[in-house]
Amino acid sequence: MNSIKQDKIPVWLYGFILIIMCFISRLPQLLSPYLLLDGDECILGLMAKHIVDGKEFPVFFTGQNYGFSLIENIFGAIGFKLFGIGAITLRVSLLVIWSIGILFFFRTFLLLTTKRNAFLITLLMVLIPAWALGSMKARGGYITAFTFTAIVIYLIIKLKESSGYLLSVILGLITGIIYLSRPFWLPGLVPVFFYLYIYKKNFKQILVLVPCVIITIIVINKLFITPSNE
């Protein structure tokens, strides 16, 4: 009977609880008198401030030709604009991006198991110590890669039966951004790509996916990376 009652809880309520837990579980750190930003976080905060001030619209982490940080810069700038410039605002802004990724992971698990199991698995990810600080560390691309990886996995599992060339284009664009953000997230996508394109025998769509990944990387590099004068 308990399991039956549990299944009657709406999906949106499970998702809402997960988001609340993302923030409540980080309050001890956010409210600590010892809260400090490291050097990388200060740089990303400065990049977000430049957006607010209208000075520039940085896409990559300052001083690097990698570390796609546009998403994190935008969320940081929105946070600064709404709540003022500060360490708490910056980290909460990054936590919002990470929480979006958590919702996509939850939606993915919903496709594979019951609502209760999906909730518990995702809650474990929210509370795992390894993500306690990493979920709101503004270091240029890390959290963007996490969330975009969650989106890719969700799309593959959700649309596996109706996958087409448009899906491959979208996956190619997102995967290119993941590579530019933090390429070490890509090995985690290998099993789901193998499932969609090899196991499901969608071989022709690989010819769409791979060029889209390469084109995304080349276009963003050409448009936003300033050549060195050295």
Side-chain angles (χ1 to χ4, degrees):
M1 292 296 294
N2 288 336
S3 60
I4 295 177
K5 292 181 180 179
Q6 191 76 358
D7 287 340
K8 291 182 179 180
I9 297 177
V11 171
W12 71 264
L13 183 55
Y14 276 122
F16 179 75
I17 294 173
L18 286 171
I19 293 299
I20 293 299
M21 288 303 301
C22 285
F23 288 85
I24 290 179
S25 59
R26 271 66 180 176
L27 283 179
Q29 299 178 68
L30 293 171
L31 300 180
S32 170
Y34 304 104
L35 174 65
L36 294 173
L37 301 180
D38 62 28
D40 288 341
E41 291 179 290
C42 290
I43 291 175
L44 198 139
L46 184 61
M47 294 164 68
K49 184 177 182 298
H50 284 173
I51 294 178
V52 174
D53 295 340
K55 294 182 178 180
E56 61 174 338
F57 203 78
V59 174
F60 285 90
F61 196 78
T62 298
Q64 297 179 170
N65 291 339
Y66 58 92
F68 182 83
S69 306
L70 178 62
I71 307 299
E72 297 170 19
N73 294 335
I74 291 175
F75 273 75
I78 293 173
F80 286 168
K81 191 71 174 179
L82 295 176
F83 305 106
I85 297 173
I88 294 178
T89 302
L90 183 62
R91 287 202 171 169
V92 169
S93 299
L94 272 291
L95 185 56
V96 170
I97 304 175
W98 190 80
S99 300
I100 294 172
I102 286 295
L103 283 180
F104 273 98
F105 273 117
F106 173 58
R107 298 294 302 186
T108 300
F109 291 129
L110 281 174
L111 300 173
L112 304 173
T113 184
T114 64
K115 289 187 289 186
R116 180 184 179 185
N117 289 342
F119 171 77
L120 292 176
I121 294 170
T122 311
L123 181 62
L124 179 63
M125 183 180 294
V126 170
L127 299 179
I128 193 170
W131 281 112
L133 184 58
S135 59
M136 49 186 179
K137 267 288 187 179
R139 286 184 170 175
Y142 285 93
I143 297 178
T144 296
F146 170 85
T147 297
F148 276 47
T149 298
I151 294 173
V152 168
I153 294 174
Y154 171 75
L155 289 175
I156 289 177
I157 302 300
K158 176 70 174 179
L159 303 176
K160 62 181 184 296
E161 301 300 337
S162 58
S163 58
Y165 293 109
L166 178 58
L167 175 62
S168 294
V169 170
I170 295 172
L171 292 178
L173 294 174
I174 299 176
T175 303
I177 292 175
I178 293 173
Y179 173 83
L180 292 170
S181 300
R182 292 295 161 180
F184 57 71
W185 277 99
L186 292 181
L189 290 176
V190 171
V192 288
F193 278 131
F194 179 88
Y195 171 76
L196 179 63
Y197 292 104
I198 306 301
Y199 180 78
K200 301 291 289 186
K201 298 181 180 180
N202 294 318
F203 303 117
K204 292 183 179 180
Q205 295 179 25
I206 298 178
L207 300 178
V208 176
L209 173 76
V210 175
C212 285
V213 174
I214 296 174
I215 291 172
T216 299
I217 294 171
I218 292 175
V219 169
I220 293 179
N221 281 333
K222 289 292 185 179
L223 289 178
F224 300 109
I225 291 182
T226 302
S228 174
N229 294 325
E230 297 181 0

